[in-house]
Amino acid sequence: WRADGRALRKLPVHVGLVVTEEEPSYADMASLVVWCMAVGISYVSVYDHNGIFKRNNSRLMDEILKQQQELLGLDCSKYTVEFANQDKTAQVLNCQSTLKVLSPEDGKAGIVKAAQNFCQLVAQQQRTHSDLDVNMLDNLLSSTNGFPDPDLVLKFGPVDSTLGFLPWHIRLTEIISLPSHLNISYEDFFSALHHYAACEQRWGK
């Protein structure tokens, strides 16, 4: 697993796994999460537009831990799974990889929280309304999100949209569409990483 990650010219730090299909599979999503962790990706976000994974995050967690043991064996002690917007981390082992399970309200709520924080700064006369620009909002969102922006989004399903996944954070993100997450193979996953490693990002230029 690690050798595959090292063989790539560049490896994303944060990967978003976005499911646009109506019937998400816990086993297949768990495989994708564990593969991300195994090749050395530090942050993983799981998202579906109906919030099914987030509402049933304990079921997803159980499947991830099961597959960690099956696929990684004793190495499973090196990985952590953390769920977004929870006071307690569901499982803390070692902070090499971190997972957040998101739903549409997370993207919108983050922007609202950042706006509230800015309004408080203005009310406390630490900022003026004219200070608000792209960089300021970016900093406010980073402080509430706690994750770096995604380098890569793997979007699964026929819909040509990310359906509300972190709308602010993906403006510079490479998005690769795959037909489905159902029965996805490691070869398909690694091929997508290889495609990302080969692409030249021009950052809007």
Side-chain angles (χ1 to χ4, degrees):
W1 307 101
R2 288 289 180 184
D4 281 348
R6 287 193 294 268
L8 295 170
R9 188 165 63 87
K10 60 179 177 178
L11 189 68
V13 174
H14 178 187
V15 169
L17 303 172
V18 176
V19 175
T20 66
E21 297 158 283
E22 292 300 321
E23 297 293 331
S25 164
Y26 293 90
D28 291 313
M29 183 52 66
S31 294
L32 285 160
V33 170
V34 172
W35 294 337
C36 285
M37 294 176 168
V39 298
I41 294 166
S42 299
Y43 300 94
V44 184
S45 295
V46 170
Y47 177 91
D48 71 279
H49 63 288
N50 292 318
I52 295 172
F53 285 129
K54 188 170 180 179
R55 284 196 304 275
N56 301 282
N57 57 18
S58 59
R59 180 176 170 188
L60 180 61
M61 166 65 90
D62 290 344
E63 188 64 40
I64 290 169
L65 293 177
K66 172 186 164 190
Q67 292 200 32
Q68 278 183 331
Q69 187 63 52
E70 289 176 358
L71 296 175
L72 306 176
L74 296 177
D75 281 350
C76 71
S77 63
K78 294 180 182 177
Y79 306 95
T80 180
V81 178
E82 173 188 324
F83 287 105
N85 300 336
Q86 291 188 0
D87 293 333
K88 293 184 179 178
T89 302
Q91 173 95 3
V92 177
L93 299 169
N94 185 315
C95 288
Q96 288 193 2
S97 298
T98 307
L99 169 74
K100 285 193 176 183
V101 182
L102 305 170
S103 60
E105 58 264 23
D106 290 303
K108 293 175 185 175
I111 294 172
V112 170
K113 178 72 173 171
Q116 289 173 336
N117 289 347
F118 181 76
C119 289
Q120 286 178 347
L121 292 173
V122 172
Q124 295 164 3
Q125 298 184 340
Q126 296 179 30
R127 294 284 180 184
T128 66
H129 69 278
S130 59
D131 291 333
L132 185 59
D133 58 13
V134 170
N135 291 330
M136 170 66 72
L137 183 56
D138 200 39
N139 290 333
L140 289 166
L141 282 166
S142 297
S143 66
T144 58
N145 183 44
F147 258 35
D149 290 350
D151 308 286
L152 170 66
V153 164
L154 299 181
K155 182 194 70 67
F156 303 96
V159 181
D160 289 329
S161 169
T162 54
L163 298 176
F165 171 74
L166 297 179
W168 178 268
H169 303 83
I170 60 171
R171 62 200 186 284
L172 299 175
T173 299
E174 187 72 22
I175 300 173
I176 295 175
S177 295
L178 296 164
S180 176
H181 73 301
L182 302 175
N183 300 313
I184 190 167
S185 67
Y186 176 75
E187 288 72 26
D188 291 335
F189 164 76
F190 189 71
S191 176
L193 290 185
H194 196 273
H195 177 81
Y196 166 80
C199 74
E200 181 182 350
Q201 291 171 292
R202 296 180 180 272
W203 311 113
K205 296 177 183 176

